[in-house]
Amino acid sequence: MPIEITMPQLTDTMTEGTLVRWLKKEGDAVRQGEEFAELETDKAIMPYEAPEAGTLAHLALKEGDKVAVGALMALIAVKGEDVAAVKKNAGTSAAAKPQATQQPRAAEKAPQLAAASAGAGVKHMTNDQGGAATLEAASAGEMHEPGSMVG
């Protein structure tokens, strides 16, 4: 079974990355740990190493492509696999159609947050008489001189 190389999340805030350049081409052998691509994250350009040894059977991205974390970048055919067959079947791989990984933007979350806070289960502060607690009421009724509080 070929090794699917997907866009990794190289930083905590990374949601997408850019393939800067391939250091190998289709048909080239790669060793485990060998650098075969350069990726641009949201913070830096970093080398990317092959997770296993094999032959680069399919490069799914062109240099300069920007894709979401989890998107298919390449397929490595491992020892004993037919490289041509792996390349031919590249479009049917599970990673070829990655799930959406981006979080909803803040503007999209706002209606959900407003609805949640307007619902039951949200507690409001009250004063001793059952009215809404306010800073003004607390300040007027709780005036103390420094050092006069007894604990």
Side-chain angles (χ1 to χ4, degrees):
M1 179 154 218
I3 306 302
E4 295 180 341
I5 307 299
T6 59
M7 179 61 71
Q9 183 175 5
L10 298 169
T11 67
D12 291 343
T13 57
M14 182 176 166
T15 58
E16 61 186 10
T18 302
L19 173 71
V20 176
R21 74 182 174 124
W22 290 112
L23 302 175
K24 298 281 189 171
K25 62 184 186 305
E26 282 185 5
D28 285 353
V30 293
R31 294 182 316 274
Q32 183 176 6
E34 180 180 18
E35 294 176 5
F36 73 98
E38 289 181 351
L39 305 177
E40 182 176 2
T41 70
D42 54 342
K43 299 182 186 220
I45 295 176
M46 305 172 76
Y48 191 64
E49 298 176 352
E52 291 192 39
T55 302
L56 276 174
H58 173 67
L59 301 178
L61 301 178
K62 296 184 296 271
E63 292 181 355
D65 283 352
K66 183 180 241 181
V67 297
V69 168
L72 181 68
M73 292 176 37
L75 293 173
I76 295 177
V78 295
K79 187 176 182 177
E81 286 185 308
D82 180 3
V83 175
V86 170
K87 180 168 178 56
K88 181 180 176 188
N89 294 325
T92 62
S93 98
K97 300 172 189 109
Q99 299 296 316
T101 57
Q102 293 186 0
Q103 299 294 321
R105 292 177 293 208
E108 294 168 351
K109 288 183 178 180
Q112 297 166 353
L113 293 174
S117 66
V122 177
K123 295 184 178 184
H124 300 280
M125 295 187 63
T126 59
N127 62 20
D128 291 342
Q129 291 77 36
T134 66
L135 182 57
E136 293 167 359
S139 296
E142 301 274 339
M143 295 183 71
H144 301 280
E145 290 295 319
S148 68
M149 296 205 43
V150 178

